[in-house]
Amino acid sequence: MKSKYLSVLKNTGSIKLAIIFAICITTSLLLLFFSASNPEPIDKPTIKIGVSQTPLTSPFIVAKHLSLFEQASLNVELVDCFGGVACSEALIDDQVDFATASESVVMFKSYQTHDIALLASFVQSTNDLKLLTLNKHLSFDNKSINNSELNHLGNTQHKVGIVKGSSSEYYFDTLQIAQGLDTANIEKVYLTPKELVDALINKHVDAISIWEPYGYQVNMLSNAPMTNLGIQGIYQLHFNLISKRSRLSQINTLEDRQVNKIIVVLEQSINWINENPDAAMNIVAKHLNVPLNQIKWSWDDYIFRLSISSTLLSSLQMQSHWAKQQGLVQGKEPNFREVIFSEPFEEAKSAMELSW
Amino acid sequence: MVNSINGKLITLLCVSFIFTLLLSYSFFQIHLAQHKKTDALQYFSALQKNIDDLRSQFWLFSQRQDKASFAQVTQSHQSLTNKLEKQSFYNQRVFNLKKLTNDMSSLLNQELKLSSQTVGLSDNQVTQARNLLQNRYIILIENMSEEVAYLNKNTLDSNERAITSVMLYSALGLILTGTFVLAINFSIYQRFKIGSNRIKKGIETLSKGDLSHKIDANNLDIEFGLLASFFNDMTSKLDASMMSKQELEDEVNRQTSELKKQKQQLQTLSEKDHLTGIMNRRALEQSLDLIIANAKLSQSKVALFFIDVDNFKIINDTIGHDAGDTVLKKVALRLQQCIRKTDIVGRLGGDEFVVCLGLTDNLDQISQKAQLILDTISQPIEFNGSTINISTSMGVSYYPFQAKSRNRLIKQADEFMYKAKELEGSACFDGQEVLAQNHLSNRTMSG
């Protein structure tokens, strides 16, 4: 009787042990699961980001498409704007909280206001700006100007279509310097980007200095073969996330955290783009409502990379120097070291490393 | 769950096998990831070394601005380009680096053009152009370094991710298989305990001799179920073929009592005369010896009557042996009625009887006794509706006066009986006098 009782006791003991073990495993798995997915409720104020309608802003378009902002519990609204200038003006007018712009725009706007803060560069290209011509014999270097072959054109004065006070002009001027061109032989014709394409096709100008996707448009519209007279690598375009310094310092903690989160999302989005370039191109083409081929045209020129390197500073300084020389800007040169606001980027970067 | 210990053990074996495979696969994957990482890092570090070399060549070129140092720059750049081109494994990853080297080669071309054009250009223009290019070189080199740093970091991150995911899945797999193994083990333990307990209890009960106990084979694993059914079969057969202890005892008792009965019958047969039921000659002789021995010890006296039925042969011959037997039985019965319990009566054989009156102090009563015996046995006997009249002759001998041994005593009495026969009717003679005589009886038979 006693032994039977003991065996029953032993039995229940081992069953209890098994139950406790099972409970421990289940609890730890549940804890693991819930700690991994602990979403904060999204009742945050809407963050408006002015995004240029260009494939350069692909990281934002893709992040929105993949709901990466929502996953980071950010309530982000992408506000479409045409070109970095428009975006930066919307930022200055407080229509948006953040904006995307090239460093040329940042440089120009820094003369207007000291409030601009460049947070990070998310894409770069050395082939976005091109000096395009439809005349395959055209060359701007000094030798060819004297070339008898070109003399049949009737004059040695070349008309070059340029968008005034923009990276288009900066690019052309840089080319001039790099090639040691004589400015006397060149006539700058200032037009809007759209006008530039028409002017080139209608042969009102010999060449145009323009960014994408206008190069693609020229290629599509023109029957003659298009030639790029530019030097690849002479100019590097960065597209950057910018905001207002006053804004960032005002509500320091919350905004900072938002900025950090946006930077983290950008990093995720860029990684995704680099891993899935074809899918990313499709998403961007659909969002911008342009043919996929247009996106493919310049896609390989882009290096999607989140950075805030010293090359940005030197690029800003060089462009500023040029703008001053050209008389495009007035007043004291801004301190670009202050324009580049690297703290959120550094914090986000270290947070990302910590998360590993 | 499998309803057999063997099945469970096989399942356990399979799960353990999967467990081992999973473990091996995980370690192999981790090894592979590490190997890939090391290879990539080695390659990127070689690229970084080349970029550093290019940077120092550019610095030299910026200082000297001569053809020799430019040639060094071109060579270094070419070496970097070759390193990027002469591999196929990292094509995807070094795509950006290739773009940067293309940019660089485009700038170097421009540099070359510039040096061939210097005739038509002012010093200022050349300096400006060179400064611009120098600036771009620096930025491009910087970009390349950044790109390699990114590649390194990316490699480390993806390696970390790969290892983490391998470890996560392995851990999940290991926990799952571990839990499964635990569950199977637990089940085997439980089932084995239940089974072995029931078998143990069954054997224990059997060892106590209970053949009717059956092991409950319900809810047992196949192996224990089989054992239980074998056990139950065995006990059933044993139960059917074996006697119980009680039954065995009863049987022994029955046979013992039968033997006793037979022994008693045998004894009776050996001591009693089969016809008359009184002592036979052998028993009579033993009893006589005993009486004589006792009389010798107690100094007492013994009287022995030798009785013979007169004309018995004639009865036998004329009426029949049945009549003779009846006479003998009747005489024996009557003799028994005449004596005390301490006296003995027996048949010597034929029609001869002996009565011994033991341990008698007073011989005076002998004649009375003799008369009683004569009167009693000489009564007519009914046989088949007719009456047989008999007479008897008796001789009496005394111990210790006339004889001191049994045979002598009998012989003496026999002799006196013959003397008595000579007298008419039934008579008793003791060697000295006629102790009793019965004239009423008829020596012949009537009816």
Side-chain angles (χ1 to χ4, degrees), chain B residues 72-85:
Chain B
Q72 289 288 323
V73 168
T74 325
Q75 201 183 340
S76 183
H77 176 258
Q78 194 52 46
S79 150
L80 179 63
T81 313
N82 288 344
K83 204 157 259 168
L84 290 170
E85 295 297 336

Side-chain angles (χ1 to χ4, degrees), chain B residues 58-69 72:
Chain B
F58 267 121
W59 183 81
L60 215 61
F61 174 59
S62 73
Q63 296 297 307
R64 295 184 183 168
Q65 297 284 343
D66 59 355
K67 280 189 178 174
S69 49
Q72 289 288 323

Side-chain angles (χ1 to χ4, degrees), chain A residues 4 7 10-11 14-15 18 21 25 29 124 126 141-143 170 174-175 177-182 231-236 238 267 270-271 274-275 277 299-305 307 309-311 314-315 318 325 349 353 356, chain B residues 92-93 95-97 99-100 102-104 106-107 110 113-114 116-117 119-121 125 128-130 132-133 135-136 138-140 142-143 146-147 150-151 153-154 157 160-161 164 168 172 175 179 182 186 189-190 193-194 197 201:
Chain A
K4 195 176 178 185
S7 78
K10 265 190 201 169
N11 240 339
S14 54
I15 289 167
F21 185 74
I25 285 181
L29 281 177
Q124 46 186 282
T126 49
D141 57 38
N142 294 340
K143 268 186 186 170
Y170 174 69
T174 310
L175 276 180
I177 295 165
Q179 292 178 329
L181 296 184
D182 196 345
I231 304 166
Q232 194 189 327
I234 199 76
Y235 170 75
Q236 191 165 20
H238 288 94
E267 174 81 22
I270 285 169
N271 286 338
N274 288 331
E275 280 161 24
W299 189 265
D300 280 349
D301 296 333
Y302 302 145
I303 299 176
F304 288 104
R305 183 83 69 243
S307 73
S309 63
S310 54
T311 58
S314 61
S315 185
M318 278 167 74
Q325 274 189 336
K349 206 80 178 166
E353 271 156 21
W356 278 108
Chain B
Q92 190 68 33
R93 285 195 257 179
F95 185 71
N96 289 340
L97 217 50
K99 272 192 262 180
L100 292 171
N102 285 344
D103 290 352
M104 183 71 88
S106 151
L107 294 183
Q110 185 57 36
K113 270 190 199 169
L114 209 61
S116 62
Q117 285 180 347
V119 274
L121 297 175
Q125 277 180 312
Q128 264 197 322
R130 286 230 157 105
L132 181 73
L133 287 173
N135 214 320
R136 285 303 301 157
I138 293 166
I139 288 176
L140 278 179
E142 202 57 47
N143 283 342
E146 257 179 38
E147 183 64 25
Y150 171 80
L151 287 175
K153 189 184 170 297
N154 205 27
D157 283 356
E160 183 117 26
R161 269 199 300 276
T164 309
L168 188 73
L172 270 177
I175 288 172
T179 314
L182 202 72
F186 185 70
Y189 164 72
Q190 284 286 71
K193 201 164 73 175
I194 292 170
N197 274 349
K201 197 181 156 202

Side-chain angles (χ1 to χ4, degrees), chain A residues 44-61:
Chain A
K44 303 271 170 69
T46 309
I47 304 165
K48 288 183 177 176
I49 304 178
V51 175
S52 279
Q53 295 302 289
T54 146
L56 289 164
T57 56
S58 295
F60 286 94
I61 295 166

Side-chain angles (χ1 to χ4, degrees), chain B residues 27 101 226:
Chain B
F27 280 111
T101 52
L226 268 175

Side-chain angles (χ1 to χ4, degrees), chain A residues 356, chain B residues 33 37 154-166:
Chain A
W356 278 108
Chain B
K37 182 196 81 177
N154 205 27
T155 305
L156 288 173
D157 283 356
S158 65
N159 173 63
E160 183 117 26
R161 269 199 300 276
I163 287 179
T164 309
S165 89
V166 166

